[in-house]
Structures are given as structure tokens and as C-alpha cells.
Amino acid sequence: MLTLEGLRIDLGDFHLGADLTVAKGHSIAVMGPSGAGKSTLFNAIAGFLQPSAGRILWNGADITTRTPADRPIALLFQDNNLFPHLTAFQNVALGLRPDLHLTPAHKDQVMQALDKVGLRGFEDRKPGALSGGQQSRVALARVMLQAKPLILLDEPFAALGPALKAEMLDLVKQTARDNNATLLMITHDPKDAERIADQIIVVADGQANPPAPAAKVLAHPPAALRDYLGL
Amino acid sequence: MSKLTGWTSIAVLLLLSFGTLAAVLSRAEGLTAISSDDWRVLRFTLWQASLSAVISVILAIPLARALARRQFRGRGLLITLMGAPFILPVIVAILGLLAIFGRNGLIATITGLPIQIYGLQGILLAHVFFNLPLATRLILQGWLAIPAERFRLAASLGFRPTDIARQIEWPMLRETVPGAFLVIFLICLTSFAVALALGGGPAATTIELAIYQAFRFDFDLGKAAQLAALQFLVCGIAGAVALKLALPQVTSGGLDRAVERWDARNPWLRAQDAAIIALGALFLLTPLTMVILRGAAGAFEMPATVWQAAGRSVFVAIIATTLCMAMALALAFWLNTLNRGRLWVEGISLLAIAASPLVIGTGMFILLFPFVDPTRVVLPITALVNAAMALPFALRALVPAVAQTEAQFGRLADALGMRGFARFRYLYLPRLRRALGFSAGLTAALAMGDLGVIALFSDPTRATLPLEMYRLMESYRLEAAAGAALLLLALSLLAFWIFDKGGRANADA
């Protein structure tokens, strides 16, 4: 269970507040206008940004001051999710051992993860020699191995075509289910939300609102979201 | 960690720049008023640097224009070769220039004219030889940065070449030329080896050469220190101006396309450009060709001391490169974490440009004298000085590379918990490879060919290859000197090539 307790983020003129709880095992879409602070919220949860007030709790334990790597979080950014100088195998293996000191058992795990995302045989390729969809799969294979209970996705599939994106979202959903993980995903597309999320957090007007059932939000979007979606 | 290594590097640099200056000053037997001799030296230094820069830039403009608007076989090669003088050992180039323009050089032999190369004209010749290619590349960049659409528009409006010059080219030159001038002025300000080999008598002495003479011939530390302070002041002022103006930077890529020019199609302009390019290539390539031809002939005349000296030069180059890379990495990582104080650290890391290598050498001599016979540590001192001299170039390549790596992949590495050595090994090293290879190559080539601090302690048993070569030239053993020049040229280019190649091989964008 993720709790944002009186969280407040101040970046110059920009302010964002959040006071909400995400229950375990849910898949949540984070939606809102551009510049509303969706990525900023993720940066604070992931530990790249220190909030000016409030606490972040995971299952009741305060993780506000922990380093990004010490948090129970696996995340994917919009881009630069893979190191271009490392092979697909190495990129995935970083999820197990950040220093790449791998035992034979580790290597098996990496190969299994690559197998699961349909990339067996591609392990020696570097990202430059993979298609956009394959690159996303490599990143997802790493998220699988990290086996963290909270997965944050900051629109990592935005550059993919509709069919490929749908495929990736299904893979994400599968991964979250297998890992028994909670999923938070920023998206601009209501279809993405429908496909994968059971709840929606609306970020607008300097506030991240508590999650509400996805069907309800999409059927009756609040004003800020309605304007943004053009409904 | 980055803080500790960063501070260490800064301490070393401060010791090298101010520490050695203070050491020299402390030994000076009282400062005297600046003599008329000193004034003359200062005036000459500024005068020759200004002239060198003006001539280089004026000649570079038509050459750059010809290269910008003509496409021909060998154009790429010629432009690449124009990057070479930077890593060309000064003393090698001087030997090549003497073979063409010297008293018994090619021109004197053919025309029968009594040519006098020593003096201001010789210094200018060598400086233009080194800096014309640099100026040409800088100005060529300006030309190629003009959007092709502008020339197309000009063509459709029926602009004549003079209209294009006034409306498009002149504004570009007004922006690029001052920067190019300043860079060359700065380089020529601290010129030592050129003045040593081609300067003649008291009328053609630069500050750096005067320091050498004060130390080596008169052992007058007071005078050396005074001149050193003067040098520091002059370079400090010029450097501060340069920092303000944001100096242009030669980029390696993007010079391989010529701009389609409808106005320049007439045969007269074509012939003019061809002549300019041919003359430029002739001026730049014949001295090197002479070095290679005569060197091949002299290769069998070389005494064994040349090979020993070559071994020492390789040693100096390796140590200098290692030291420079260590300091550059430490400073680049540290700079990346700094907000306040960043300017200070950057300024101190550029100090070596203003400091005189000869003062550093003298200062180290004085500092080490109580503990160890300084002549025994000449090679490590030379390596250290060369590392400091190459540091600004290395930082120019590395600081942006570190910042970019951190911006692109820092969060990902944080999220995955890549710290310490793992982060260095799997994130930084692969990402910085190109920049590291390039700057290591530069450092190695510069250190290999440097004739500076080593000249102060010309102990025959510890000479590096450039010094050994200079000695052979001084004693008129020209065949042997030519052989040594070819060896030095090969070693410098090889050193650059090995490192640069190592940085490029298998590096992924």
C-alpha cells in the first residue's frame, strides 16, 4: 500500500499537493493536462525529488528519505530506459545486480525473462540494433527481474504505434500480475486507461486527487480532465 | 569521492601554477623595476602574436571560402589534414619549414636568393603554418553553418557574388573572425619552441624565451620570476577576455559537405578558388613532405641516443596521459555536482594556459632541490607539466560528456542502484569513451612532441626525443635530425591514432 501523506512539492512557481492512498494490487492510470505535474509526482515517489513537506509511506514504512534504489519501485521513463552501450542481456541483468556480478543462476533468470518477452536469441544485441518495440520488451524484462512491488510507468510506450502499444500494455499487466505488484501509469490516452487500469488518479490544478474507479472517471470526467480530453 | 579527487586535482594545479611562481619569487634576489629590455620583450611578444593572428585569419578567409563552395576529390582529406598541425610536434614542423624556407632550403636553392628566415619573419612563418589551418577550420564552420536555403534564396533573387558577400558572408565573418583571431593570439602569446628555434637575438625574443634565457644562461631567478609574473598577467588578461567572448570550438564532424553556390559558377571564380586551394595545400603539405623525404633518407644516420630519447618520450607521453585523464575525470565529475564555486574550479583548471611551462619547471626545480637532485626527476616533471597543459582541452571534451551522460542516464542508474565502481564501469566509461580517447590522444601527442620544460634541464642523458632532435639541429647534424623528426612525427601521430581509435572502436551512439 502506497500512502502519500500531506505531500507537498515546490519547484519555483510550481506547487503540487498529494494526499492519497493506493491499495495493493491495483492498476492505476495517472491522467491530467500537460504540465499538471504527473511526472513530477512520479519523480517524488521514485526519490528523484525531495518533497518540501509530507511523507511517502510504503506499507506503513516511511520511505521519504530513501535513495531511489532503496525504494520498492521499478520504473520506466519516457525514453533512455536502456543503456545503448550495453547488450540486451546486460541491460536486463542490471535489474538483478547493478554491478553485473552474475552467478550462473542469475544468468538463467535473465535468459528466462528475455524468453518471456519473446527476445530469446536477441540477448547479444545492443539497443541500437533492436526495434522500438523490442527495446520496450527489454526494459520490461528488466522490470520483471527487479520484482519490485510497485511499478511506475511514465509513458514509456508513447512512441510506439497503437497495436504495439496495446501489446506492451498487456505485457505490463501480465508482469504486474505475476509480480503481484501495484502499477501506476501516466497516460494521455483514455483507451490505455480503459485497457489496463481499474482506478484513475487525476492530477490537475496543483493537486493529485485520490484514485477513483476508472469506469466512473471516464464516464463522468471532472472539469479539468474533460477540457483536456476535449470531451 | 568525486569531491576528494577533485580537491586533489585542484591542489596539484594550484601548486603547479601559483606554487611554482611563488617558489621562483622566493628565490629571486629582490625584484627590480621592469627594465627597458623587459618592455621590449613584452612589446615583441604582443606584436608577433597580433601579426601572426592577423595574417592567419586574413589568409584563412579566402581559403575557407574556396573550400566552402567547391567540391573536389581529396577535399575531405585536405580538411582532415588541417586538423593535424595541432598534434604536430613544433620542432618537426620547424625542420620542415627550414627545408623549404631556410637559408639552404628549397626556395633559396632554386631562386638563388639569400633568404633570411631567423627573426620575426621566421616566427610569423611558423605561427601561420600552425594556425592557418586552425583559422580555416573555424571560419569554414561559420560558412557551412549558413543555412543552404539562404543561398538558394539569394540565387532565386539573382544575387551577384558581391551581393552575397555583403548580405550573407560578411555578417557571418563578423561573428567568427574575432573569435578565431583571439584563439590564435592566445596560442602565439606563449609560444616558446618556435621562438627558441627561429627567433633571432634580443630583437626577436618572446617572454617565454626570455624566461628560458634568464634561467639557463644567467641563472637569474629574479629576472625569470619577474618575467613569469608578467607572462601570467598578460595571459590572465587575454584569457579572461577569451572566457567572456566564449571561444569558438572546432568540431570534428560536419565539414564534409560543400554548399551549392549558383553565383560561383563562372570560370574566373573557379580558377581563383582552385589557385587558392592549391597554394594553401602547397604551403601546408610541402614542409611535411620534406620531413618525410629527408627523414627517410636520414633514418640510417641516427645515433643510438635518438632511440633512447624516443623511449623516454614514450614514457613521458604515457605518464602525462595517465595523469591528465585522472585529473580531467576527477574534475569533470566534481564540476558536474557543483553549483556554486563551479566558475572557480573551472577557472583554476584553465590556469595552466596562463602559467608558463618554463616557470612551472623552474619552480619545481626550486621546490624539489632540497629533497632530490631535480635533474633526476626531469621526466616526471615534464610529464606533469604536459598533463596540466593538456587539461583544458581534455576538460572541454569531458565536462559536456559527463553532464550529458548524467542527464540522460543518471536517473536510470540511480533507480537501478548503480553506484561506485559499477557506475563508473558500466555507465561512465562506455559513454565517455569517445571523449576520453580523443583527449587522451591529444595529450599523448602533445606530450610526445613537447619541447618546453625539458629544454631547461638539457641533461644529455635524460633528453626526450624533441630535445634530442633540437640538439642535433643545433650541431648541424641535419641528416640525423631529419631521421629523428620523422620518428617523432610517426610517434606523435601514432599516439594520437591509438587512443582516438580506441575511443571510437565499437562505441555506440
Side-chain angles (χ1 to χ4, degrees):
Chain A
M1 188 173 71
L2 175 73
T3 309
L4 307 182
E5 193 182 88
L7 197 68
R8 197 172 163 74
I9 302 161
D10 298 292
L11 291 171
D13 282 346
F14 177 84
H15 308 283
L16 182 72
D19 218 340
L20 55 87
T21 298
V22 174
K24 192 170 184 292
H26 281 288
S27 290
I28 291 156
V30 178
M31 302 187 79
S34 298
K38 304 184 292 292
S39 292
T40 307
L41 181 69
F42 270 31
N43 278 338
I45 298 174
F48 296 116
L49 190 71
Q50 267 309 305
S52 37
R55 300 196 300 163
I56 302 167
L57 307 167
W58 177 254
N59 292 341
D62 189 345
I63 60 168
T64 318
T65 55
R66 285 202 209 163
T67 62
D70 287 339
R71 299 189 183 208
I73 294 168
L75 80 168
L76 293 182
F77 307 106
Q78 285 184 10
D79 41 31
N80 293 329
N81 283 305
L82 300 178
F83 295 107
H85 50 271
L86 299 181
T87 62
F89 182 92
Q90 288 175 310
N91 267 295
V92 174
L94 284 172
L96 285 177
R97 294 282 311 197
D99 54 8
L100 291 180
H101 289 240
L102 303 174
T103 62
H106 286 141
K107 288 179 184 166
D108 284 348
Q109 276 180 280
V110 174
M111 288 311 288
Q112 277 168 23
L114 280 166
D115 209 14
K116 252 189 194 163
V117 296
L119 284 180
R120 183 171 279 273
F122 291 81
E123 58 271 13
D124 290 332
R125 293 218 199 164
K126 291 184 180 178
L130 295 171
S131 71
Q134 288 167 337
Q135 292 179 13
S136 300
R137 287 163 189 270
V138 174
L140 273 178
R142 189 180 61 218
V143 171
M144 282 178 193
L145 280 194
Q146 283 181 280
K148 302 270 191 165
L150 180 59
I151 300 174
L152 302 184
L153 303 182
D154 187 352
E155 291 193 279
F157 312 126
L160 300 181
L164 208 48
K165 188 159 82 166
E167 199 186 313
M168 289 303 148
L169 288 177
D170 290 345
L171 202 51
V172 165
K173 201 167 180 176
Q174 189 62 43
T175 306
R177 198 178 299 145
D178 290 352
N179 287 2
N180 208 3
T182 308
L183 177 71
L184 259 70
M185 174 183 76
I186 294 177
T187 180
H188 284 104
D189 190 347
K191 287 204 203 80
D192 290 356
E194 269 171 359
R195 186 167 197 102
I196 193 170
D198 51 10
Q199 293 185 327
I200 292 179
I201 290 176
V202 174
V203 180
D205 306 321
Q207 194 64 37
N209 297 289
K216 202 177 111 197
V217 174
L218 289 174
H220 307 284
L225 193 60
R226 194 163 52 229
D227 292 345
Y228 165 69
L229 294 173
L231 296 175
Chain B
M1 181 63 192
S2 70
K3 212 168 161 178
L4 180 70
T5 51
W7 273 112
T8 312
S9 307
I10 285 295
V12 170
L13 290 171
L14 284 174
L15 173 74
L16 280 181
S17 46
F18 290 116
T20 53
L21 184 62
V24 175
L25 283 174
S26 75
R27 275 308 188 84
E29 279 140 29
L31 293 179
T32 49
I34 294 182
S35 69
S36 61
D37 267 3
D38 296 346
W39 279 120
R40 195 170 54 196
V41 165
L42 174 63
R43 263 204 314 274
F44 180 77
T45 304
L46 296 173
W47 178 233
Q48 61 81 22
S50 314
L51 274 182
S52 302
V54 166
I55 298 172
S56 300
V57 169
I58 286 179
L59 293 180
I61 292 173
L63 186 54
R65 184 177 58 180
L67 285 170
R69 63 190 186 186
R70 301 294 166 198
Q71 191 77 59
F72 53 92
R73 278 170 74 96
R75 181 178 176 276
L77 183 67
L78 183 61
I79 292 174
T80 305
L81 282 175
M82 286 189 157
F86 197 77
I87 54 171
L88 185 67
V90 178
I91 193 72
V92 170
I94 287 171
L95 193 76
L97 288 169
L98 283 174
I100 304 290
F101 300 97
R103 206 171 308 164
N104 301 312
L106 216 52
I107 293 180
T109 314
I110 293 171
T111 62
L113 294 171
I115 292 182
Q116 175 54 271
I117 191 176
Y118 297 96
L120 177 62
Q121 61 272 35
I123 293 176
L124 292 182
L125 183 71
H127 281 166
V128 171
F129 176 80
F130 272 101
N131 294 304
L132 174 61
L134 175 65
T136 306
R137 282 177 65 114
L138 287 173
I139 296 173
L140 183 59
Q141 267 173 36
W143 238 293
L144 296 184
I146 299 175
E149 288 80 9
R150 224 169 279 172
F151 287 109
R152 281 183 211 149
L153 182 63
S156 77
L157 292 173
F159 275 28
R160 284 163 303 142
T162 45
D163 301 320
I164 290 194
R166 188 169 341 116
Q167 305 296 345
I168 300 177
E169 298 177 320
W170 174 240
M172 178 280 292
L173 287 176
R174 226 173 19 206
E175 273 179 28
T176 42
V177 163
F181 173 87
L182 199 63
V183 169
I184 296 170
F185 178 79
L186 270 176
I187 292 173
C188 297
L189 213 50
T190 52
S191 180
F192 170 66
V194 167
L196 176 69
L198 295 176
T205 299
T206 60
I207 303 182
E208 198 76 343
L209 183 58
I211 295 171
Y212 168 78
Q213 288 164 348
F215 182 78
R216 189 146 163 69
F217 299 139
D218 312 331
F219 207 75
D220 185 346
L221 289 178
K223 193 170 176 207
Q226 202 161 350
L227 286 162
L230 198 61
Q231 169 91 331
F232 217 97
L233 196 70
V234 171
C235 291
I237 293 170
V241 173
L243 273 185
K244 263 251 156 72
L245 269 182
L247 290 181
Q249 201 173 359
V250 178
T251 52
S252 46
L255 296 178
D256 50 350
R257 93 204 141 80
V259 181
E260 178 79 37
R261 291 282 296 271
W262 291 268
D263 62 297
R265 280 182 175 168
N266 80 56
W268 159 239
L269 282 181
R270 229 176 248 248
Q272 185 191 316
D273 283 352
I276 289 169
I277 292 171
L279 276 177
L282 207 62
F283 175 56
L284 296 175
L285 297 181
T286 40
L288 289 184
T289 314
M290 291 305 278
V291 167
I292 293 170
L293 290 179
R294 296 215 172 151
F300 303 101
E301 310 281 333
M302 289 193 294
T305 49
V306 169
W307 293 104
Q308 289 154 8
R312 281 181 219 115
S313 275
V314 170
F315 169 79
V316 166
I318 291 172
I319 303 292
T321 308
T322 313
L323 284 175
C324 181
M325 290 306 104
M327 286 197 288
L329 277 174
L331 285 171
F333 286 133
W334 194 35
L335 274 169
N336 196 48
T337 64
L338 287 181
N339 286 322
R340 271 185 309 166
R342 200 188 149 94
L343 264 179
W344 279 102
V345 175
E346 259 184 317
I348 291 171
S349 51
L350 295 177
L351 265 181
I353 286 188
S356 146
L358 294 180
V359 177
I360 298 179
T362 316
M364 293 299 281
F365 183 95
I366 293 166
L367 287 174
L368 291 173
F369 194 72
F371 310 106
V372 56
D373 175 8
T375 52
R376 296 187 53 174
V377 288
V378 165
L379 295 183
I381 290 178
T382 306
L384 183 60
V385 171
N386 273 300
M389 294 290 151
L391 188 61
F393 301 107
L395 282 177
R396 268 212 142 163
L398 279 174
V399 169
V402 168
Q404 198 194 351
T405 301
E406 195 53 47
Q408 267 186 312
F409 299 107
R411 288 195 311 171
L412 179 57
D414 283 345
L416 291 169
M418 294 167 75
R419 293 187 201 99
F421 184 71
R423 196 178 178 105
F424 181 73
R425 165 87 181 73
Y426 293 110
L427 175 60
Y428 287 116
L429 211 53
R431 302 309 301 164
L432 302 178
R433 220 170 129 164
R434 249 164 197 276
L436 271 177
F438 177 73
S439 36
L442 270 190
T443 312
L446 289 176
M448 191 81 77
D450 179 56
L451 177 58
V453 65
I454 188 79
L456 282 177
F457 320 90
S458 59
D459 169 2
T461 61
R462 292 197 177 81
T464 58
L465 188 50
L467 182 61
E468 180 67 22
M469 194 195 137
Y470 177 64
R471 266 221 209 95
L472 290 169
M473 281 167 73
E474 264 194 323
S475 53
Y476 293 102
R477 297 177 61 188
L478 292 181
E479 283 83 25
L486 184 59
L487 180 61
L488 180 54
L489 179 66
L491 283 177
S492 293
L493 295 182
L494 189 69
F496 177 78
W497 185 80
I498 289 175
F499 283 113
D500 190 47
K501 194 80 184 168
R504 280 165 196 268
N506 202 20
D508 310 83

